[in-house]
Amino acid sequence: MTNRTFAIIKPDAVKNNYSGNIIDHILKFNFKILAARLTHMTLAQAEGFYGIHKGKPFFEELTNFMSSGPCWVLALEKENAVEEWRKTIGATNPADADEGTIRKMYATSLGENAVHGSDSNENSAIEIGFFFSDAELIACQ
Ligand code: CMP
């Protein structure tokens, strides 16, 4: 699992029609897409997925936003995938993101920051498992 990460193209980016550009960016940066699905999370699903942030001041805003519209969930593969994807998407707050990163190009605010990326190998396995079974990951078939 160390070469896998989990990504979300969040509701703001889907609504703004950036899905195609972001998937193009994923492929240009040589991530292999092992699984992808368009989904509209329920509030309960968003609360479960972001359970690690429960109790933080932004939890309610975050889970309301993540359940406000469709998003793409993706399992990605590349050497050092977690670190590489975090480099590709840039800082959590787009105001701090480097030029050329996905958040710099497509995000508008800290709360609506276009994409998600796992922060560790341990969490990438948990997050991929939250949305996909092993049988749905093409490398496992
Ligand atoms: P993400 O990488 O999806 O992980 C948690 C999300 O919480 C983060 O991106 C931000 O979109 C959102 N968030 C909102 N407010 C904050 C905050 N003050 N600090 C960190 N994350 C925040």
Side-chain angles (χ1 to χ4, degrees), residues 73-95:
V73 290
L74 305 105
L76 304 179
E77 186 174 72
K78 186 178 182 174
E79 208 174 310
N80 297 320
V82 168
E83 200 186 324
E84 288 294 308
W85 178 239
R86 288 179 75 79
K87 266 198 261 169
T88 304
I89 64 180
T92 307
N93 188 340

mmCIF file of all heavy atoms in Angstrom, residues 73-95:
data_model
loop_
_atom_site.group_PDB
_atom_site.id
_atom_site.type_symbol
_atom_site.label_atom_id
_atom_site.label_comp_id
_atom_site.label_asym_id
_atom_site.label_seq_id
_atom_site.Cartn_x
_atom_site.Cartn_y
_atom_site.Cartn_z
ATOM 1 N N VAL A 73 -14.011 10.298 -6.359
ATOM 2 C CA VAL A 73 -13.087 9.637 -5.429
ATOM 3 C C VAL A 73 -12.164 8.756 -6.275
ATOM 4 O O VAL A 73 -12.621 8.086 -7.207
ATOM 5 C CB VAL A 73 -13.834 8.819 -4.340
ATOM 6 C CG1 VAL A 73 -14.534 9.755 -3.377
ATOM 7 C CG2 VAL A 73 -14.844 7.829 -4.926
ATOM 8 N N LEU A 74 -10.862 8.798 -5.967
ATOM 9 C CA LEU A 74 -9.884 8.096 -6.800
ATOM 10 C C LEU A 74 -8.821 7.410 -5.955
ATOM 11 O O LEU A 74 -8.332 7.988 -4.970
ATOM 12 C CB LEU A 74 -9.148 9.071 -7.734
ATOM 13 C CG LEU A 74 -9.978 9.957 -8.653
ATOM 14 C CD1 LEU A 74 -9.996 11.392 -8.112
ATOM 15 C CD2 LEU A 74 -9.414 9.957 -10.059
ATOM 16 N N ALA A 75 -8.461 6.197 -6.362
ATOM 17 C CA ALA A 75 -7.300 5.529 -5.781
ATOM 18 C C ALA A 75 -6.178 5.653 -6.809
ATOM 19 O O ALA A 75 -6.358 5.289 -7.975
ATOM 20 C CB ALA A 75 -7.608 4.059 -5.507
ATOM 21 N N LEU A 76 -5.051 6.222 -6.382
ATOM 22 C CA LEU A 76 -3.935 6.507 -7.298
ATOM 23 C C LEU A 76 -2.699 5.705 -6.911
ATOM 24 O O LEU A 76 -2.479 5.432 -5.732
ATOM 25 C CB LEU A 76 -3.584 7.998 -7.255
ATOM 26 C CG LEU A 76 -4.710 8.992 -7.544
ATOM 27 C CD1 LEU A 76 -4.194 10.429 -7.426
ATOM 28 C CD2 LEU A 76 -5.319 8.741 -8.923
ATOM 29 N N GLU A 77 -1.898 5.394 -7.930
ATOM 30 C CA GLU A 77 -0.653 4.657 -7.676
ATOM 31 C C GLU A 77 0.524 5.369 -8.336
ATOM 32 O O GLU A 77 0.425 5.818 -9.476
ATOM 33 C CB GLU A 77 -0.769 3.243 -8.248
ATOM 34 C CG GLU A 77 0.428 2.361 -7.893
ATOM 35 C CD GLU A 77 0.200 0.931 -8.364
ATOM 36 O OE1 GLU A 77 0.258 0.699 -9.594
ATOM 37 O OE2 GLU A 77 -0.067 0.067 -7.526
ATOM 38 N N LYS A 78 1.603 5.467 -7.604
ATOM 39 C CA LYS A 78 2.872 6.022 -8.107
ATOM 40 C C LYS A 78 3.907 5.749 -7.023
ATOM 41 O O LYS A 78 3.542 5.580 -5.852
ATOM 42 C CB LYS A 78 2.732 7.539 -8.327
ATOM 43 C CG LYS A 78 3.925 8.184 -8.985
ATOM 44 C CD LYS A 78 3.714 9.675 -9.213
ATOM 45 C CE LYS A 78 4.924 10.259 -9.907
ATOM 46 N NZ LYS A 78 4.728 11.664 -10.279
ATOM 47 N N GLU A 79 5.184 5.730 -7.374
ATOM 48 C CA GLU A 79 6.191 5.576 -6.329
ATOM 49 C C GLU A 79 6.067 6.761 -5.354
ATOM 50 O O GLU A 79 5.932 7.912 -5.799
ATOM 51 C CB GLU A 79 7.586 5.553 -6.962
ATOM 52 C CG GLU A 79 8.576 4.768 -6.133
ATOM 53 C CD GLU A 79 9.901 4.628 -6.849
ATOM 54 O OE1 GLU A 79 9.915 4.227 -8.027
ATOM 55 O OE2 GLU A 79 10.906 4.956 -6.215
ATOM 56 N N ASN A 80 6.106 6.491 -4.071
ATOM 57 C CA ASN A 80 5.909 7.541 -3.046
ATOM 58 C C ASN A 80 4.632 8.345 -3.285
ATOM 59 O O ASN A 80 4.626 9.584 -3.246
ATOM 60 C CB ASN A 80 7.099 8.514 -2.997
ATOM 61 C CG ASN A 80 8.363 7.837 -2.594
ATOM 62 O OD1 ASN A 80 8.357 6.975 -1.702
ATOM 63 N ND2 ASN A 80 9.454 8.175 -3.241
ATOM 64 N N ALA A 81 3.549 7.633 -3.554
ATOM 65 C CA ALA A 81 2.307 8.275 -3.992
ATOM 66 C C ALA A 81 1.795 9.344 -3.031
ATOM 67 O O ALA A 81 1.365 10.414 -3.470
ATOM 68 C CB ALA A 81 1.233 7.205 -4.198
ATOM 69 N N VAL A 82 1.832 9.079 -1.731
ATOM 70 C CA VAL A 82 1.270 10.040 -0.769
ATOM 71 C C VAL A 82 2.007 11.374 -0.877
ATOM 72 O O VAL A 82 1.404 12.437 -1.058
ATOM 73 C CB VAL A 82 1.345 9.484 0.677
ATOM 74 C CG1 VAL A 82 1.044 10.564 1.708
ATOM 75 C CG2 VAL A 82 0.366 8.322 0.844
ATOM 76 N N GLU A 83 3.327 11.299 -0.806
ATOM 77 C CA GLU A 83 4.146 12.514 -0.853
ATOM 78 C C GLU A 83 4.030 13.192 -2.222
ATOM 79 O O GLU A 83 3.905 14.420 -2.318
ATOM 80 C CB GLU A 83 5.590 12.106 -0.575
ATOM 81 C CG GLU A 83 6.467 13.230 -0.129
ATOM 82 C CD GLU A 83 7.918 12.765 -0.016
ATOM 83 O OE1 GLU A 83 8.149 11.607 0.373
ATOM 84 O OE2 GLU A 83 8.800 13.576 -0.354
ATOM 85 N N GLU A 84 4.097 12.377 -3.281
ATOM 86 C CA GLU A 84 4.049 12.943 -4.640
ATOM 87 C C GLU A 84 2.723 13.643 -4.906
ATOM 88 O O GLU A 84 2.677 14.705 -5.518
ATOM 89 C CB GLU A 84 4.265 11.827 -5.676
ATOM 90 C CG GLU A 84 5.682 11.318 -5.730
ATOM 91 C CD GLU A 84 6.658 12.393 -6.229
ATOM 92 O OE1 GLU A 84 6.399 12.978 -7.280
ATOM 93 O OE2 GLU A 84 7.644 12.662 -5.533
ATOM 94 N N TRP A 85 1.614 13.041 -4.439
ATOM 95 C CA TRP A 85 0.302 13.662 -4.663
ATOM 96 C C TRP A 85 0.178 14.949 -3.851
ATOM 97 O O TRP A 85 -0.340 15.951 -4.322
ATOM 98 C CB TRP A 85 -0.828 12.671 -4.341
ATOM 99 C CG TRP A 85 -2.215 13.227 -4.505
ATOM 100 C CD1 TRP A 85 -3.175 13.323 -3.552
ATOM 101 C CD2 TRP A 85 -2.805 13.759 -5.708
ATOM 102 N NE1 TRP A 85 -4.309 13.887 -4.071
ATOM 103 C CE2 TRP A 85 -4.106 14.164 -5.400
ATOM 104 C CE3 TRP A 85 -2.330 13.939 -7.010
ATOM 105 C CZ2 TRP A 85 -4.970 14.737 -6.332
ATOM 106 C CZ3 TRP A 85 -3.184 14.512 -7.951
ATOM 107 C CH2 TRP A 85 -4.491 14.894 -7.602
ATOM 108 N N ARG A 86 0.709 14.948 -2.630
ATOM 109 C CA ARG A 86 0.640 16.173 -1.814
ATOM 110 C C ARG A 86 1.452 17.301 -2.450
ATOM 111 O O ARG A 86 1.061 18.462 -2.408
ATOM 112 C CB ARG A 86 1.081 15.887 -0.371
ATOM 113 C CG ARG A 86 0.019 15.061 0.366
ATOM 114 C CD ARG A 86 0.403 14.730 1.776
ATOM 115 N NE ARG A 86 0.286 15.859 2.686
ATOM 116 C CZ ARG A 86 -0.868 16.282 3.203
ATOM 117 N NH1 ARG A 86 -2.003 15.692 2.877
ATOM 118 N NH2 ARG A 86 -0.883 17.300 4.046
ATOM 119 N N LYS A 87 2.577 16.932 -3.069
ATOM 120 C CA LYS A 87 3.370 17.941 -3.797
ATOM 121 C C LYS A 87 2.592 18.469 -4.994
ATOM 122 O O LYS A 87 2.619 19.657 -5.297
ATOM 123 C CB LYS A 87 4.681 17.308 -4.309
ATOM 124 C CG LYS A 87 5.855 17.492 -3.389
ATOM 125 C CD LYS A 87 7.150 17.255 -4.127
ATOM 126 C CE LYS A 87 7.688 15.869 -3.879
ATOM 127 N NZ LYS A 87 8.777 15.449 -4.726
ATOM 128 N N THR A 88 1.908 17.578 -5.686
ATOM 129 C CA THR A 88 1.168 17.938 -6.898
ATOM 130 C C THR A 88 -0.021 18.845 -6.580
ATOM 131 O O THR A 88 -0.335 19.744 -7.359
ATOM 132 C CB THR A 88 0.669 16.649 -7.609
ATOM 133 O OG1 THR A 88 1.805 15.823 -7.871
ATOM 134 C CG2 THR A 88 -0.026 16.957 -8.916
ATOM 135 N N ILE A 89 -0.672 18.614 -5.426
ATOM 136 C CA ILE A 89 -1.858 19.423 -5.119
ATOM 137 C C ILE A 89 -1.494 20.743 -4.424
ATOM 138 O O ILE A 89 -2.219 21.709 -4.546
ATOM 139 C CB ILE A 89 -2.923 18.647 -4.305
ATOM 140 C CG1 ILE A 89 -2.451 18.220 -2.935
ATOM 141 C CG2 ILE A 89 -3.417 17.455 -5.094
ATOM 142 C CD1 ILE A 89 -3.514 17.447 -2.119
ATOM 143 N N GLY A 90 -0.376 20.797 -3.714
ATOM 144 C CA GLY A 90 0.037 22.044 -3.051
ATOM 145 C C GLY A 90 -0.555 22.190 -1.663
ATOM 146 O O GLY A 90 -1.295 21.326 -1.180
ATOM 147 N N ALA A 91 -0.256 23.315 -1.031
ATOM 148 C CA ALA A 91 -0.659 23.566 0.365
ATOM 149 C C ALA A 91 -2.177 23.530 0.531
ATOM 150 O O ALA A 91 -2.916 23.880 -0.396
ATOM 151 C CB ALA A 91 -0.122 24.921 0.809
ATOM 152 N N THR A 92 -2.624 23.109 1.728
ATOM 153 C CA THR A 92 -4.063 23.005 2.020
ATOM 154 C C THR A 92 -4.784 24.316 1.734
ATOM 155 O O THR A 92 -5.876 24.322 1.160
ATOM 156 C CB THR A 92 -4.265 22.623 3.515
ATOM 157 O OG1 THR A 92 -3.497 21.446 3.775
ATOM 158 C CG2 THR A 92 -5.722 22.353 3.828
ATOM 159 N N ASN A 93 -4.166 25.426 2.123
ATOM 160 C CA ASN A 93 -4.744 26.737 1.820
ATOM 161 C C ASN A 93 -4.199 27.204 0.465
ATOM 162 O O ASN A 93 -2.992 27.406 0.324
ATOM 163 C CB ASN A 93 -4.357 27.738 2.913
ATOM 164 C CG ASN A 93 -5.098 29.051 2.748
ATOM 165 O OD1 ASN A 93 -5.597 29.355 1.667
ATOM 166 N ND2 ASN A 93 -5.173 29.815 3.811
ATOM 167 N N PRO A 94 -5.076 27.359 -0.535
ATOM 168 C CA PRO A 94 -4.576 27.728 -1.868
ATOM 169 C C PRO A 94 -3.765 29.022 -1.881
ATOM 170 O O PRO A 94 -2.919 29.211 -2.742
ATOM 171 C CB PRO A 94 -5.852 27.866 -2.707
ATOM 172 C CG PRO A 94 -6.991 27.818 -1.764
ATOM 173 C CD PRO A 94 -6.522 27.174 -0.505
ATOM 174 N N ALA A 95 -4.004 29.890 -0.873
ATOM 175 C CA ALA A 95 -3.227 31.134 -0.799
ATOM 176 C C ALA A 95 -1.745 30.844 -0.560
ATOM 177 O O ALA A 95 -0.885 31.653 -0.907
ATOM 178 C CB ALA A 95 -3.774 32.017 0.316
#
